Amino acid sequence: MPDTKVYLLDGGSLVIDGYHVYWNKGPAGEVRFPVYSILVEQGDTRMLVDTGFDYDHVMRVLPFEKPMQTKEQTIPGALAKLGLTPKDVGIVFNSHFHFDHCGGNRFFLHAKKFCHRLEVPQACNPEVFEHLGYSDLAFSVEACEARGMTDQIPEGATRENTRFEGVDGDVEILPGVHMIFTPGHSIGHYSMLVKFARRRPMLFTIDCAYTQKSLETLCQAGFHIDPVAGVRSMRRIRALAEEHDAELFYSHDMANWQGYRKAPEFYA
Ligand code: 5PN
Ligand code: ZN
Ligand code: ZN
């Protein structure tokens, strides 16, 4: 297995209600949670998994989520801390296209892009209750056009340079970097398992489980397309963690996030 480094890129934070974090359970009240992206490095090969939220988009469309994001917490700012620019990232994999996971995609028109084969079609034609989740369409000219939101098309973006290679089921994108198909939260949601030569695997739940408590209680977020699939996916994540003795990383868990190693530190 090649030497793999994993960097967690701090993307700032948002606020939602406790009943959205813990569906039908709560408790109610404002919860501020972190948003981050994951940079996987193998020699000169770099893959970014998710790209955080776009501050201006959130202020325009969901200001009630009270976005906080410094310059250092933008994608270019976070990469600059590593001496990198977006051009140094050749591959982008989006776990799904909720706005807090694709807001920085506009910096990666040059990159090879992957997602589940059903996620772009879903962003083009979401269920009515998914419109807020799939509100930042700047990641795809095709989606902007399908939704009549061509004002969101970023400078320089075309159908061609915002095209995704759609994948299906579990896929090993780089050696030891396994994307795990965990539908439910969204139709084509992926989690990620990263194996190392010399350390325990890292298992990123992404939005299959916002927090440790979500996974422990099998309580998914209020935002989902198929809650039955969501529970099945959480059970699968639990089983994978056990099978591989993996260290779990949650997508939106402020308490655990405080303890994570953040870039420029890394896991290897
Ligand atoms: C943070 C956040 N806020 C709203 C939505 C939504 O409507 O679908 C997903 C989502 C979020 O992750
Ligand atoms: Zn999501
Ligand atoms: Zn999310």
Side-chain angles (χ1 to χ4, degrees), residues 184-201:
H185 175 73
S186 76
I187 198 151
H189 186 272
Y190 274 103
S191 304
M192 177 170 68
L193 177 69
V194 184
K195 296 177 182 170
F196 296 87
R198 280 174 289 278
R199 103 178 275 295
R200 285 173 76 195

Side-chain angles (χ1 to χ4, degrees), residues 41-108:
E41 188 176 77
Q42 292 181 341
D44 290 337
T45 301
R46 294 185 192 85
M47 170 168 83
L48 187 61
V49 176
D50 291 344
T51 63
F53 65 84
D54 179 76
Y55 181 86
D56 292 339
H57 172 82
V58 177
M59 283 306 283
R60 195 167 58 246
V61 177
L62 326 82
F64 46 85
E65 296 205 2
K66 302 178 180 175
M68 292 182 63
Q69 188 180 66
T70 66
K71 227 181 181 101
E72 287 196 327
Q73 291 169 329
T74 64
I75 288 289
L79 289 172
K81 279 179 137 179
L82 301 173
L84 300 173
T85 73
K87 285 275 160 58
D88 296 308
V89 176
I91 306 169
V92 171
F93 195 115
N94 286 98
S95 64
H96 63 305
F97 289 121
H98 287 164
F99 69 88
D100 54 321
H101 295 260
C102 63
N105 270 49
R106 70 178 184 282
F107 299 112
F108 299 98

Side-chain angles (χ1 to χ4, degrees), residues 98 121-135 147 185-187 224-226:
H98 287 164
Q122 198 68 19
C124 290
N125 187 24
E127 296 291 338
V128 289
F129 53 81
E130 292 184 304
H131 277 242
L132 201 54
Y134 291 109
S135 59
R147 299 269 299 278
H185 175 73
S186 76
I187 198 151
H224 50 248
I225 187 158
D226 182 345

Side-chain angles (χ1 to χ4, degrees), residues 210-243:
Y210 276 27
T211 73
Q212 181 175 352
K213 193 170 97 180
S214 308
L215 193 63
E216 287 173 356
T217 62
L218 296 176
C219 185
Q220 66 200 287
F223 315 116
H224 50 248
I225 187 158
D226 182 345
V228 177
V231 173
R232 200 180 301 126
S233 290
M234 280 197 279
R235 291 191 190 282
R236 176 143 192 255
I237 287 292
R238 281 187 183 181
L240 280 171
E242 178 121 337
E243 178 189 348

